[in-house]
Amino acid sequence: MHKTSTLIVATVLVVASFILHRLYGYLPVTIAVMLASTALAGYPVVRKAIGALRYRIVGIEVLVSVATIGAVIIGEYWEAAAVTYLFLFGGYLEAKTLEKTRSSIKALLNLAPETARIVKNGKEEVVDPKSVVQGDRVIVKPGERIAVDGTVEDGLAYVNQSTVTGESLPVERQVGQQVFAGTVVESGYLIVEAEKVGDQTTFARILELVEEAQDAKAKTQKFLERFSQYYTPGIMVLSLALFLFTRDIRLSLTLLVIACPGALVISAPVSIVAGIGNGAKKGILVKGGDVMERLGTVRAIAFDKTGTVTKGEPEVVSLQAFDIDRDELLAIAASGETYAEHPIAKAIVGYGAKRLSQDIRIPEETNPIAGKGVVFVLGGKTYLLGNRALFADHGISLEMYEPAIRAEEELARTVVIVGSAERVLGFFAIADTVRPQAKELLKALKKIGIRHVVMLTGDNERTARAIAGQLGFDSYRASLLPQDKVAALKELQAEYGTVAMVGDGVNDAPALATADLGIAIGGAGSDVAMETADVIVMSSHLSMLTHAVGLSRATVRNMKQNIVFAILVAVILLAGVLVRTVDLSFGMLVHEFSVLLVIINAIRLMGYGKNTKL
Amino acid sequence: MKHITLQLETLTCPSCMAKIDGMMKKTDGVVKAEVLFNSSRVKAEIDESIVSTAQVKQRIEALGYKVLGEK
């Protein structure tokens, strides 16, 4: 019979027998109804018990079966009916509530793209995403899910990437930019060249990691499982001994039932699955229970600078113009750098493209001078763009601008000077910009009890000092090679205990692996980061880091509450049985109730940090 | 040698895990077995010359757990 219908019939029978018993006492018909109820509710239990015994495993069903059969033999029909019914009903409720703790992860699985629209022989065709191959052109229309990881080849769209990055605001995607499978085109339309398909997409990898993570066991959990292996047979021996000693069969049977370690064994895994689910929804992947436990105990955090606290792309941070319009100066400089490839030039061209209304003009002549800059001709006039050496070569004095230039350099900025053939027109200060939330993040981390935050970087001392000071790091280490970062981490571990390393996962894999906990930020799309890190923050939102640490602590706290509660209930029940105030069915009721409470407590975790903004 | 992943009905008590795990380990032809509680799955490595996927499924169902599918 189907589970739900079994439960309904059993409910009717158990209620009927209860009323009959109350009104008329133990009539033959009352006993018959009770036995029917027991048989119906007890059948699956006994079946599972026998199945288990065949493999010499003593599970909870064996305990319940023995107790039920014992109750029938000694004529306690009501107890037998009540115990089996409560066990069945409890199991049903537990399955329902457990599904809830697992629902965030399940919801994620349902977000996998189901169809893909590809162009084949010039025609559109809807196919299974698994059959798309690398190089196929995939068309995505508004409301549709992108089925592959790839580069936009045509079109413009707003894409909601929350499934991959956890960011809820849609981002603009245009030609040449990366898009991820599993993300949704909200408006606009895209043609994407497939680069990663099927199981290789970032989204598929996320799913795989989360699936594995929910069953990667915490230490506490492993302990509890070992414990329960010996506990159940132990209880059987104990209740047998109790029977031999007291000759009280009822007491022994009650002990069997209340001693089921259900709540205790389930206490850790339910908290962890709810915690991991909460993280996954926000784009934080925690690789399993033991990582969850460790994350909350971190005392010091080391940050790799580039790509983590800074964006890793230089930007123009200030512009000074002398007796010339700022926009005009910018237009001249952007033209001069049009053909250059280095990051500084890109910063100037990018800034120009963003700020200027007219197109950037192409210079008539460009003459790059290695290590110094560029000399170019625009609108028939000659201009210089570069460092001090370039201007010295052309005999233009920088003397009156030196203080201003030095001031910028003290802030670890690179200064690019622009001049005509006769005089200095102005200069740009360019720096790797810090992420806007970095400063607040450090403050927030201090607030939640992280004792030391340190910045590790391959940059020179001056740059490192400027950025570390600006953001409020406790210390910094500059000019580090990858192996130096590993050594620095080991020193930190010796001094502070558990140390986490935060990096972008690209060039700091060894450090991520050395730290007690490797955290990759902006991990979406980086396979290395996903492999080596223990915690992956998919977006580049630094603030997610505090959420991750907080979530881990909340999860561990939740787990402890569950364990303490489960032990308390067991001890109280045991005492109640021994002083004979707890009988069989009441014992079962309390036991099932405690399991449910443990699950419900875990469900609370799913709402953790609901008000945290991204 | 073949890797199989079976999706079971929602596992509610970790003692079911111990049971399925114990059964799998006592089954000839099962080289490695892992029962995943939270995802309600069984992952195993089986020697197909000794035991088939269908037989493994059957044995799990005989223990009282429905196998919903194979992955």
Side-chain angles (χ1 to χ4, degrees):
Chain A
M1 216 189 297
H2 192 265
K3 266 190 182 163
T4 322
S5 40
T6 309
L7 187 67
I8 293 170
V9 178
T11 309
V12 172
L13 287 175
V14 90
V15 170
S17 67
F18 180 74
I19 294 170
L20 283 171
H21 183 214
R22 270 295 151 98
L23 293 181
Y24 309 110
Y26 269 125
L27 292 179
V29 59
T30 317
I31 294 171
V33 175
M34 282 177 181
L35 284 178
S37 171
T38 308
L40 183 64
Y43 171 70
V45 183
V46 173
R47 217 185 73 159
K48 280 186 183 172
I50 293 171
L53 280 177
R54 249 191 299 171
Y55 298 101
R56 287 187 293 281
I57 295 155
V58 180
I60 183 167
E61 285 92 357
V62 175
L63 299 185
V64 175
S65 302
V66 171
T68 309
I69 293 163
V72 171
I73 291 172
I74 60 170
E76 290 281 1
Y77 305 113
W78 165 247
E79 295 286 304
V83 164
T84 47
Y85 176 73
L86 285 171
F87 188 67
L88 188 75
F89 186 52
Y92 176 81
L93 285 183
E94 281 151 28
K96 284 280 165 233
T97 44
L98 266 174
E99 262 168 39
K100 179 117 181 85
T101 64
R102 296 165 181 165
S103 64
S104 352
I105 291 173
K106 224 177 226 152
L108 197 65
L109 298 182
N110 290 337
L111 296 176
E114 277 163 8
T115 56
R117 199 189 294 274
I118 60 169
V119 188
K120 215 172 197 179
N121 309 323
K123 267 191 288 180
E124 255 182 62
E125 221 176 282
V126 177
V127 298
D128 187 321
K130 285 186 194 112
S131 66
V132 179
V133 294
Q134 206 180 341
D136 272 353
R137 276 165 188 58
V138 180
I139 301 178
V140 201
K141 295 181 175 172
E144 290 182 343
R145 234 166 245 293
I146 302 173
V148 297
D149 282 7
T151 311
V152 177
E153 203 166 68
D154 196 11
L156 174 78
Y158 280 92
V159 181
N160 185 327
Q161 308 209 76
S162 61
T163 45
V164 171
T165 62
E167 259 170 286
S168 51
L169 288 178
V171 291
E172 192 190 86
R173 281 292 171 258
Q174 47 180 308
V175 177
Q177 287 182 308
Q178 275 280 319
V179 290
F180 297 114
T183 59
V184 179
V185 170
E186 293 206 333
S187 61
Y189 133 109
L190 295 174
I191 295 181
V192 179
E193 187 186 337
E195 275 154 15
K196 288 179 184 166
V197 295
D199 290 344
Q200 267 115 47
T201 63
T202 302
F203 186 66
R205 303 267 297 111
I206 293 174
L207 292 189
E208 203 188 307
L209 283 177
V210 175
E211 290 240 29
E212 304 260 313
Q214 57 175 338
D215 282 298
K217 285 165 196 161
K219 267 191 205 135
T220 324
Q221 197 174 345
K222 283 188 197 148
F223 169 75
L224 291 177
E225 270 166 28
R226 258 203 314 278
F227 172 77
S228 71
Q229 256 172 20
Y230 298 103
Y231 182 78
T232 316
I235 285 295
M236 291 203 80
V237 173
L238 187 69
S239 70
L240 187 68
L242 193 68
F243 174 66
L244 293 176
F245 192 63
T246 62
R247 296 276 153 190
D248 186 341
I249 180 106
R250 202 171 301 174
L251 188 68
S252 317
L253 291 181
T254 312
L255 182 66
L256 272 189
V257 164
I258 63 110
C260 300
L264 189 59
V265 177
I266 212 168
S267 55
V270 286
S271 301
I272 282 166
V273 75
I276 288 177
N278 177 307
K281 240 184 345 199
K282 295 203 162 61
I284 304 167
L285 304 189
V286 179
K287 284 194 189 162
D290 66 321
V291 175
M292 202 51 125
E293 279 180 327
R294 259 183 295 152
L295 182 57
T297 64
V298 164
R299 287 285 159 270
I301 301 184
F303 286 84
D304 182 47
K305 191 204 82 171
T306 308
T308 306
V309 289
T310 66
K311 289 179 182 160
E313 296 158 9
E315 279 179 18
V316 173
V317 288
S318 83
L319 184 171
Q320 303 256 3
F322 308 122
D323 299 322
I324 182 171
D325 182 65
R326 291 169 64 89
D327 283 352
E328 201 183 328
L329 177 73
L330 179 56
I332 294 168
S335 298
E337 294 281 46
T338 310
Y339 293 119
E341 275 300 320
H342 55 90
I344 301 275
K346 280 188 182 152
I348 293 178
V349 174
Y351 189 64
K354 207 165 65 188
R355 288 281 306 266
L356 299 172
S357 46
Q358 79 266 33
D359 284 342
I360 294 167
R361 287 168 295 166
I362 307 289
E364 291 113 60
E365 205 181 298
T366 356
N367 189 11
I369 299 157
K372 291 177 182 172
V374 60
V375 179
F376 60 99
V377 180
L378 184 71
K381 281 190 194 159
T382 302
Y383 294 101
L384 311 176
L385 186 151
N387 56 18
R388 288 188 180 88
L390 182 73
F391 284 79
D393 286 354
H394 285 75
I396 298 172
S397 164
L398 293 174
E399 211 185 321
M400 61 181 292
Y401 309 107
E402 271 298 340
I405 294 174
R406 286 227 186 86
E408 295 288 355
E409 285 175 340
E410 275 307 307
L411 296 169
R413 295 168 176 170
T414 305
V415 175
V416 175
I417 310 158
V418 188
S420 64
E422 298 84 32
R423 67 177 191 99
V424 174
L425 297 173
F427 64 79
F428 291 86
I430 290 160
D432 186 2
T433 44
V434 298
R435 290 194 192 275
Q437 325 94 331
K439 198 168 180 178
E440 279 156 50
L441 169 79
L442 293 192
K443 258 195 220 143
L445 287 176
K446 284 277 164 165
K447 222 188 219 159
I448 60 171
I450 304 295
R451 284 170 51 206
H452 198 84
V453 279
V454 52
M455 184 178 84
L456 307 181
T457 175
D459 281 0
N460 62 45
E461 174 80 20
R462 199 172 62 186
T463 310
R465 192 193 326 126
I467 290 183
Q470 186 188 346
L471 294 178
F473 275 100
D474 292 315
S475 66
Y476 65 91
R477 311 242 178 142
S479 312
L480 298 180
L481 298 172
Q483 61 266 35
D484 300 333
K485 288 185 187 171
V486 172
L489 278 175
K490 287 194 173 143
E491 282 169 37
L492 285 168
Q493 282 168 333
E495 198 175 339
Y496 295 99
T498 317
V499 176
M501 168 85 201
V502 183
D504 63 1
V506 180
N507 47 21
D508 39 25
L512 287 184
T514 307
D516 297 291
L517 209 73
I519 304 174
I521 256 186
S526 160
D527 289 343
V528 191
M530 304 242 271
E531 285 307 330
T532 42
D534 301 301
V535 178
I536 300 140
V537 177
M538 301 308 290
S539 69
S540 45
H541 281 290
L542 284 173
S543 57
M544 283 289 104
L545 212 55
T546 16
H547 180 81
V549 175
L551 175 65
S552 145
R553 289 187 182 162
T555 307
V556 171
R557 203 160 47 232
N558 195 278
M559 195 160 78
K560 283 186 183 153
Q561 288 162 357
N562 279 351
I563 292 171
V564 169
F565 173 73
I567 291 176
L568 266 182
V569 169
V571 169
I572 292 171
L573 275 180
L574 193 64
V577 171
L578 293 179
V579 301
R580 298 171 199 234
T581 52
V582 173
D583 62 11
L584 206 54
S585 50
F586 183 67
M588 189 53 139
L589 183 68
V590 173
H591 171 260
E592 289 297 331
F593 199 62
S594 69
V595 174
L596 271 182
L597 274 182
V598 159
I599 300 175
I600 289 167
N601 187 39
I603 288 177
R604 289 190 315 128
L605 262 185
M606 296 173 65
Y608 173 81
K610 227 175 206 157
N611 302 321
T612 334
K613 277 203 210 106
L614 280 176
Chain B
M1 217 54 59
K2 189 183 165 197
H3 284 277
I4 54 170
T5 304
L6 301 174
Q7 178 71 51
L8 312 187
E9 61 180 322
T10 310
L11 297 179
T12 51
C13 56
S15 80
C16 335
M17 267 176 74
K19 254 189 294 181
I20 300 170
D21 193 54
M23 180 277 289
M24 293 291 282
K25 289 203 169 121
K26 282 169 194 154
T27 302
D28 285 333
V30 174
V31 186
K32 226 166 78 185
E34 199 185 350
V35 184
L36 307 175
F37 174 64
N38 282 322
S39 52
S40 304
R41 283 184 180 171
V42 176
K43 272 191 182 176
E45 217 172 281
I46 57 170
D47 186 342
E48 278 187 298
S49 59
I50 306 173
V51 71
S52 70
T53 311
Q55 280 169 316
V56 172
K57 265 193 211 170
Q58 222 172 25
R59 300 189 73 144
I60 295 174
E61 300 222 321
L63 272 183
Y65 302 96
K66 239 187 230 139
V67 177
L68 300 180
E70 195 184 330
K71 211 191 152 190

